[in-house]
Amino acid sequence: SGSLQRRALAGALMVVYAVLLHESYRNLIAPVFSYLGQTYREPEVFATALSIALTVVLGMALPTNLSSASDFILWTFYLIAVAPSILIAQYADILPRDRALWMSLWIAGVFLLMVWFAQHAMPLFTIRIDAPPALVTLAAVGFTVLFTGLLVALGGASFQLVALDAVQDVRVSYKSALTSIPFLGYAVQFQTAVLNPIFMAVGVVRRKLLVVTAGVVGQLLIYSVTGYKLTALSPIFVIALAWYLSRTRGRLTSPVLVLAITGTMTASLLLDHLSGGRFFVTIFVNRLMAGPGVLTSAFFLVFEDQPKYQWAHSFLSPILDSPYALTPGYLVGRVFQNVDSQANVNLFGDGYANLGLVGVCIEAAFLLGVLTLLNAASRGVPLAITAPSSLVAALGLANNSAFTS
């Protein structure tokens, strides 16, 4: 049947994905970024074969025809966080080999349960806000205008954009601004991951160039202040996805999604080979997949036999005392990478740092709850709008906990 053929093709493409990720990491990433803990060791045949098999099984378990926001987000999360965490653990010289394989099995098991819940047990209901469309549009535009004014008032918003590999000074300035304006981080995240992607997606689907431009300009202004690379790159991904879905009338299958990311990896390797550099692999493979995969292992290593945070540094800080002076990201950055910067990780690493394996399950369950609400709120909205609109938030799951993505 067509479904079985799509599953088989997606599984075969995931084998290609695994090979490309390994070659990128061994030849272009580890030789340059070993000082940040991205080291390499020759993998064992059994562990490698098992990790690839786990990855293929998970890919074949996911839906072949994507029909909801949760389908798209789970597929994206799988490609940029789950699969890299499982595969890279075997050849990144971080965890002992037996612990690396155990971690991969645990991650695969948790994600398989997430996929099963999303397909068979997720509650079906609809959330509707009885507000005139004009009022909703006015609220979105009003927030955007106020937010842009805030960025300009900070004195950093401009179109003098720094290179993607030279953003450290911008990030330091933004971090300083966060200390004086506590709510700025939430406003940036809402504009970056919600409003601007919606502007771009709706603009492409409805062929409104001005609306698309507003979303793109908004992302570039935020990048000029924060230095977040994903913000600068997101218009490419969001617009391309919205254009494709508008051409296919909202039809998106699993082989197309896997082919898109393996194609990106192949193009990055080819362009770097032709140029003799590492820029494209660094941005599109290391930034989106390999780096988050490495940090999953790093968090399991650092917090294996250490006290857990229990979210005392976060939303439980009013009632719990943190066992550490630093947040999990900064502690791992200092201990594992020997740098004074934050090592952002996905829900597997963050959950483990907070409450061990139970913490991983809690964050996974929370994400499923959010996806349930997202499906309810977007029911009836075309995938051509919901998928591109949620893409930035989905990509953020590679290096953010379920509570902050």
Side-chain angles (χ1 to χ4, degrees), residues 21-27 29-31 33-34 37-48 51 84-104 293-294 296-298 300-301 304 336:
L21 184 62
H22 175 264
E23 291 305 299
S24 299
Y25 187 84
R26 180 181 66 176
N27 297 322
I29 296 173
F33 297 104
S34 59
Q38 292 182 268
T39 52
Y40 179 80
R41 67 186 175 201
E42 288 297 329
E44 292 182 342
V45 175
F46 173 76
T48 301
S51 65
S85 296
I86 292 172
L87 295 167
I88 290 177
Q90 314 314 317
Y91 48 81
D93 194 12
I94 299 171
L95 288 168
R97 295 183 187 274
D98 59 334
R99 299 296 293 174
L101 189 57
W102 170 87
M103 184 196 75
S104 296
V294 165
T296 303
S297 294
F300 271 71
L301 173 70
E304 182 174 10
F336 176 71

Side-chain angles (χ1 to χ4, degrees), residues 187-316:
V188 165
Q189 193 166 15
F190 182 67
Q191 190 72 40
T192 301
V194 180
L195 289 185
N196 287 339
I198 289 176
F199 290 153
M200 289 184 282
V202 172
V204 170
V205 172
R206 298 183 179 175
R207 300 181 181 182
K208 303 291 186 181
L209 180 59
L210 183 61
V211 180
V212 176
T213 303
V216 173
V217 170
Q219 295 295 72
L220 294 179
L221 284 174
I222 292 172
Y223 170 70
S224 72
V225 173
T226 65
Y228 290 161
K229 297 175 184 176
L230 177 59
T231 306
L233 297 172
S234 62
I236 301 172
F237 302 136
V238 172
I239 292 172
L241 179 60
W243 177 84
Y244 174 81
L245 290 174
S246 67
R247 295 293 296 267
T248 62
R249 298 182 180 179
R251 178 176 170 79
L252 182 61
T253 62
S254 54
V256 169
L257 207 54
V258 182
L259 185 61
I261 199 158
T262 54
T264 300
M265 297 166 76
T266 302
S268 298
L269 283 167
L270 180 60
L271 288 170
D272 280 340
H273 175 73
L274 293 175
S275 65
R278 294 180 173 85
F279 176 81
F280 293 99
V281 166
T282 299
I283 296 299
F284 292 103
V285 181
N286 191 33
R287 174 66 180 83
L288 291 178
M289 290 168 279
V294 165
L295 287 176
T296 303
S297 294
F299 270 69
F300 271 71
L301 173 70
V302 171
F303 294 105
E304 182 174 10
D305 297 317
Q306 300 300 318
K308 304 300 188 287
Y309 277 86
Q310 301 178 61
W311 296 282
H313 67 292
S314 183
F315 58 90
L316 292 182

Side-chain angles (χ1 to χ4, degrees), residues 110-179:
V110 170
F111 187 69
L112 190 61
L113 287 175
M114 293 175 68
V115 172
W116 177 87
F117 178 88
Q119 294 189 60
H120 302 289
M122 184 173 282
L124 299 177
F125 59 96
T126 302
I127 297 175
R128 285 289 178 264
I129 299 175
D130 293 327
L135 181 60
V136 176
T137 302
L138 181 62
V141 173
F143 182 92
T144 301
V145 170
L146 290 174
F147 174 76
T148 304
L150 176 62
L151 291 184
V152 173
L154 287 174
S158 70
F159 283 109
Q160 297 179 354
L161 305 178
V162 298
L164 290 172
D165 54 356
V167 297
Q168 194 59 39
D169 290 342
V170 176
R171 289 185 176 180
V172 171
S173 298
Y174 174 63
K175 179 183 173 182
S176 176
L178 287 177
T179 60

